Amino acid sequence: MGFSGFIKGFGVSFLHRAKPRTKVYPLAYSLQQRALSSSDSKRTNLEDSILPVLIVGAGPVGLVLSLLLTKLGIKCSIMEKSKAFSNHPQAHFINNRSMEVFRKLDGLAEEIQNSQPPVDLWRKFIYCTSLTGQILGSVDHIQPQDLENVVSPVSVAHFSQYKLTRLLLKKLEDLNFRVYKSEALEDLTNGFLEGRELLMGHECVSINADDHFVTVTAEHIQEGRRVLRDIQCKMLIAADGAGSTVRKLLGIELRGEKDMQKLVSVHFLSRDLGLYLLNERPGMLFFIFNTEAIGVLVAHDLKQGEFVLQTPFYPPQQNLDDFSPEKCKMLIFKLIGRELPDVDVIDIKPWVMHAEVAEKFITCDNRIVLVGDAAHRFPPAGGFGMNTGIQDAHNLAWKIASFIMGIAPSSLLHTYETERKPIAIFNTALSVQNFRAAMEVPAALGINPTVANAVHRTITDGVGSILPSGLQSTILQGIFKVGLAQLSESFLNDNNPLGFSRLARLRRIFEEGKSLQLQFPAEDLGFRYLEGALLPDSDTAANPPEPPTGRRRDYVPSTDPGSRLPHTYVRPLSNSSEMTISTLDLLCIDKIEFLLIIAPLDESYNLGRAAFRVAEEFKVSAKVCVMWPADTVDGVEAKSKEALAPWGNYIDVVEVKKSSNLLSWWSICKMTDKGAILVRPDEHIAWRTRSAVIEDPISEMKKVFSAVLGMK
């Protein structure tokens, strides 16, 4: 559907059709319209019937956000323009921070870990002349600490997006979400969305926002005819992907680098290929360079034999007819190095790589918000796309809940953009750096992709554009054939001086970590919000993060405001068992709760009592964690009970150290036990004090909660 006839005003765009069409409204809509002209008391009743949150887009980000909101007690519904969920694997790498979020979603992280392939089958990237030919090099992307739960209570995962979607849908069904296909919408009571509905086959075609609510007009097919449905909500969340309709309707521009690379994605199955790679050269990504073809093979599941091939695409000299199922099968055979009888091409999709961030993430008086790929689209290098979107949802959920519940003003919602947009810009730059690192390998082999793209532009837009299209295609294929000839195994070997030089350069790239990287612990876990729903230290400069290098950097724990709470294992003292939990488990996911971590000192207990009293005034939950030293024995928790009375929402925990010579948790966090840390519901640090000696703890806590919740 084209997006023409935009009218822009007051930050909202409306889509008008070239020809007027009759809108089909449910009866409830007419009743609402009449209610609008009634008294203010009737308006209150009307607003009670309006859906609090409508999410457009049922990808992983939209589904995760709906789960988080529902657990917080916020009614929300989802509309998705597709009639069915795709089985195209798409994203597949889930980083540490996303897995930490999934741990809180009723065991989702554990289900993923139990369902994914064993790590030894996907820890490597392999570079070769064909899947059965010469191996040019391999890189192992899993280090021992990645599997030891040192910096996080959960490890990264390799799990296809469509499988993740299935698990998320099951979690929603467990929360009584109902899925409606467009043919069965008569089941909706009175046409109202009451929350916990997923409407399939609904495309957003216009948006209108006023001072009270947002009206979304959705189009769907019912009994062979187009029907328009108006849905009214207090907040609209655009989670509808890189080509976001909502973003376009609102006239929000993307900034960055467009059209970095055009590719074709070929989803296919082959148990024979999976079995061969399983036994001979298991890995996640296979970068294949030979004289007939180049491509990147993503092994989504070697045991199931499920793969996606990514290969360059050069329109208009090439078109999708050049990638028919039969031609894709021939291409796959060239990259494998032999024919296999069971290769089954399932799906073929062209796509374009961009590196862009929306100019704004929130608009219409904080009522419409962009999340995930609707707000930013990255090169796939490093797997930041889906993961950044999941963390967008995690940042946003508690803020939406605080606003809808009347705990905080709508200004709190704007801190979502303040915090997440810099992260998106940084991750865009990191993805670009990592993509360019990936290009170092073919460049070392003499087939620089930058040169190939320049040749293509010259033929398409430069002097070659005056030539007939058929001749353009012949010239392009000829040039590429000459380039690929350099990948001959008779040339690319240690006995050929030039081949020896190129292979030596390739080995240096791998040894120095300058090729495509899979993991970025410092960025996955160490990202920090410099301003937003937090109170910065007066003695800590809000320095921006170091520029991305495209290389792996290790995570360094930090309690600077805006940072994620550092993980360590602790044992609750009130529990007679030896059960241990992560510090991240001290926050629950089903209520808006702030966590104050203190040591068992008199001054710190005073701060804890102040936090409880002020939290009650601000209508939020507060919890105090008393962190006892590692050598503490049971039976000391009576001190906390007496010191924090009459409040009872506290927990005494003792540090769990693998050896006595390790630093304490406070030392790892670069603090002393005289300090205190206040943690937000999304596990990011809202405030800290290095010394608990605060003259007026009540005033200090009021200042903190006012700043974090956006109160003036």
Side-chain angles (χ1 to χ4, degrees):
M1 178 178 292
F3 301 101
S4 58
F6 289 100
I7 298 178
K8 299 180 182 178
F10 305 101
V12 185
S13 301
F14 304 91
L15 179 65
H16 292 266
R17 301 177 181 279
K19 295 181 181 180
R21 294 182 59 181
T22 302
K23 292 189 177 182
V24 180
Y25 297 111
L27 174 61
Y29 179 83
S30 301
L31 296 176
Q32 289 175 4
Q33 291 299 90
R34 288 198 292 273
L36 284 173
S37 60
S38 303
S39 64
D40 289 341
S41 62
K42 290 183 179 180
R43 176 176 291 282
T44 300
N45 293 332
L46 168 65
E47 290 183 351
D48 289 341
S49 69
I50 293 170
L51 182 69
V53 181
L54 175 64
I55 300 170
V56 179
V61 175
L63 296 177
V64 168
L65 180 58
S66 64
L67 278 167
L68 294 171
L69 288 174
T70 302
K71 283 188 165 294
L72 288 169
I74 301 302
K75 292 182 178 179
C76 64
S77 295
I78 314 166
M79 53 179 276
E80 165 60 44
K81 68 179 181 180
S82 299
K83 293 184 178 181
F85 287 97
S86 171
N87 286 329
H88 200 91
Q90 297 174 285
H92 57 96
F93 179 67
I94 307 175
N95 69 17
N96 267 134
R97 189 63 184 129
S98 295
M99 288 293 282
E100 288 177 352
V101 175
F102 291 167
R103 285 180 76 242
K104 301 289 187 75
L105 294 177
D106 302 323
L108 177 59
E110 185 178 2
E111 289 183 52
I112 291 170
Q113 289 179 318
N114 291 337
S115 302
Q116 71 171 348
V119 67
D120 285 343
L121 301 185
W122 54 265
R123 62 192 299 162
K124 291 182 179 180
F125 290 177
I126 295 175
Y127 299 79
C128 55
T129 57
S130 73
L131 294 176
T132 56
Q134 177 186 3
I135 292 181
L136 303 172
S138 68
V139 179
D140 188 342
H141 291 280
I142 302 296
Q143 297 185 7
Q145 63 266 33
D146 298 331
L147 304 175
E148 294 170 357
N149 298 346
V150 174
V151 297
S152 175
V154 64
S155 301
V156 300
H158 172 42
F159 196 65
S160 300
Q161 180 173 318
Y162 78 93
K163 296 179 182 178
L164 174 62
T165 298
R166 290 175 184 173
L167 292 182
L168 291 170
L169 286 170
K170 180 63 170 63
K171 298 297 179 187
L172 285 172
E173 290 172 3
D174 292 343
L175 295 175
N176 298 317
F177 259 75
R178 300 173 301 282
V179 179
Y180 293 93
K181 295 185 178 180
S182 57
E183 294 81 6
L185 289 173
E186 62 273 9
D187 295 340
L188 283 174
T189 306
N190 296 325
F192 280 122
L193 293 183
E194 299 176 344
R196 307 197 188 199
E197 299 101 349
L198 169 51
L199 307 184
M200 301 299 294
H202 277 58
E203 182 174 6
C204 175
V205 296
S206 73
I207 302 168
N208 191 358
D210 62 21
D211 293 338
H212 303 285
F213 49 78
V214 179
T215 301
V216 174
T217 301
E219 183 178 79
H220 66 278
I221 304 298
Q222 190 170 5
E223 296 179 353
R225 62 190 179 93
R226 295 182 180 276
V227 179
L228 298 179
R229 173 186 298 275
D230 276 8
I231 303 171
Q232 294 171 324
C233 57
K234 293 180 181 178
M235 288 195 65
L236 173 65
I237 311 300
D240 51 342
S244 172
T245 299
V246 174
R247 186 187 67 234
K248 293 173 182 177
L249 289 173
L250 296 170
I252 297 176
E253 299 290 335
L254 293 167
R255 304 284 185 233
E257 191 173 349
K258 296 180 184 293
D259 299 338
M260 295 178 63
Q261 180 77 59
K262 292 182 174 66
L263 300 107
V264 168
S265 177
V266 183
H267 178 205
F268 72 96
L269 303 176
S270 173
R271 287 189 177 273
D272 287 349
L273 178 59
L275 182 61
Y276 167 76
L277 294 174
L278 194 65
N279 293 325
E280 299 296 329
R281 48 180 77 173
M284 176 193 284
L285 297 186
F286 296 82
F287 300 81
I288 309 163
F289 308 96
N290 65 46
T291 57
E292 294 189 89
I294 60 173
V296 179
L297 186 75
V298 185
H300 282 266
D301 194 318
L302 291 177
K303 289 186 177 180
Q304 294 180 2
E306 183 171 34
F307 302 92
V308 169
L309 171 65
Q310 306 283 2
T311 189
F313 180 39
Y314 294 97
Q317 291 79 22
Q318 290 181 323
N319 56 57
L320 282 181
D321 291 340
D322 297 320
F323 295 92
S324 66
E326 193 58 36
K327 290 180 179 178
C328 285
K329 189 179 291 189
M330 293 301 105
L331 174 62
I332 292 166
F333 292 158
K334 291 175 183 177
L335 295 171
I336 293 174
R338 68 175 187 230
E339 294 188 10
L340 293 176
D342 72 334
V343 170
D344 182 15
V345 175
I346 305 299
D347 195 13
I348 302 163
K349 289 186 177 181
W351 63 283
V352 183
M353 187 186 301
H354 306 281
E356 298 176 300
V357 177
E359 58 185 351
K360 54 185 174 182
F361 287 15
I362 190 163
T363 187
C364 297
D365 195 26
N366 301 325
R367 289 182 177 274
I368 304 180
V369 186
L370 308 184
V371 297
D373 288 355
H376 41 71
R377 47 192 194 182
F378 313 142
F384 283 95
M386 182 178 71
N387 289 296
T388 303
I390 288 166
Q391 290 144 35
D392 288 344
H394 194 224
N395 178 284
L396 184 60
W398 74 273
K399 297 176 181 179
I400 291 177
S402 298
F403 168 62
I404 296 293
M405 292 177 179
I407 294 171
S410 66
S411 58
L412 174 63
L413 295 167
H414 205 274
T415 65
Y416 162 73
E417 178 176 311
T418 303
E419 294 177 352
R420 294 303 300 170
K421 187 176 179 181
I423 302 300
I425 292 171
F426 183 90
N427 286 351
T428 303
L430 182 55
S431 297
V432 171
Q433 288 273 13
N434 204 26
F435 171 69
R436 289 176 178 159
M439 297 301 100
E440 288 295 314
V441 171
L445 296 174
I447 50 170
N448 194 325
T450 303
V451 174
N453 290 335
V455 169
H456 179 239
R457 284 194 300 271
T458 300
I459 293 174
T460 303
D461 303 320
V463 295
S465 62
I466 63 173
L467 300 174
S469 59
L471 184 56
Q472 289 183 30
S473 179
T474 300
I475 292 172
L476 187 67
Q477 291 177 11
I479 293 173
F480 287 171
K481 187 173 183 179
V482 171
L484 293 178
Q486 302 175 82
L487 300 173
S488 166
E489 292 190 19
S490 61
F491 173 81
L492 206 60
N493 62 71
D494 290 341
N495 296 323
N496 183 299
L498 184 54
F500 174 82
S501 174
R502 289 180 176 176
L503 290 174
R505 181 185 171 191
L506 194 62
R507 284 190 287 268
R508 287 195 301 272
I509 289 172
F510 296 145
E511 290 167 1
E512 296 172 7
K514 293 181 178 180
S515 60
L516 178 72
Q517 298 298 299
L518 177 65
Q519 290 205 73
F520 294 87
E523 290 77 15
D524 292 347
L525 298 175
F527 65 88
R528 176 189 172 200
Y529 306 134
L530 300 181
E531 55 181 332
L534 52 91
L535 193 65
D537 280 352
S538 58
D539 59 343
T540 302
N543 296 320
E546 296 179 18
T549 64
R551 302 188 198 178
R552 174 176 172 139
R553 294 187 292 198
D554 288 331
Y555 163 74
V556 178
S558 171
T559 56
D560 290 341
S563 301
R564 158 194 167 273
L565 175 68
H567 153 75
T568 194
Y569 284 111
V570 295
R571 180 172 61 85
L573 286 173
S574 58
N575 193 323
S576 58
S577 72
E578 292 298 312
M579 179 190 73
T580 61
I581 61 173
S582 167
T583 45
L584 298 172
D585 297 328
L586 296 169
L587 290 122
C588 62
I589 202 167
D590 55 4
K591 61 180 174 179
I592 300 170
E593 184 171 77
F594 289 81
L595 174 72
L596 182 70
I597 302 177
I598 60 173
L601 305 174
D602 290 342
E603 298 89 344
S604 299
Y605 281 123
N606 290 337
L607 190 62
R609 290 193 298 271
F612 279 131
R613 183 176 302 172
V614 171
E616 286 182 351
E617 292 181 21
F618 281 83
K619 300 178 181 178
V620 296
S621 176
K623 181 179 182 180
V624 171
C625 171
V626 185
M627 182 80 73
W628 294 81
D631 56 356
T632 300
V633 295
D634 293 348
V636 298
E637 61 266 26
K639 179 179 180 180
S640 296
K641 182 176 181 180
E642 179 181 354
L644 295 173
W647 292 279
N649 192 24
Y650 67 89
I651 182 172
D652 290 285
V653 302
V654 60
E655 290 185 62
V656 176
K657 295 166 68 174
K658 290 186 175 181
S659 64
S660 58
N661 60 349
L662 292 176
L663 294 174
S664 72
W665 184 76
W666 294 103
S667 297
I668 291 171
C669 295
K670 299 181 176 61
M671 294 179 64
T672 70
D673 62 0
K674 294 181 173 60
I677 300 168
L678 184 71
V679 189
R680 306 187 323 194
D682 63 352
E683 301 159 7
H684 281 257
I685 294 167
W687 166 89
R688 72 169 175 189
T689 176
R690 294 180 185 274
S691 172
V693 182
I694 295 174
E695 294 183 2
D696 187 349
I698 293 288
S699 295
E700 181 68 14
M701 285 293 98
K702 284 184 177 180
K703 181 175 72 172
V704 172
F705 278 98
S706 294
V708 174
L709 293 173
M711 306 290 192
K712 292 184 179 179

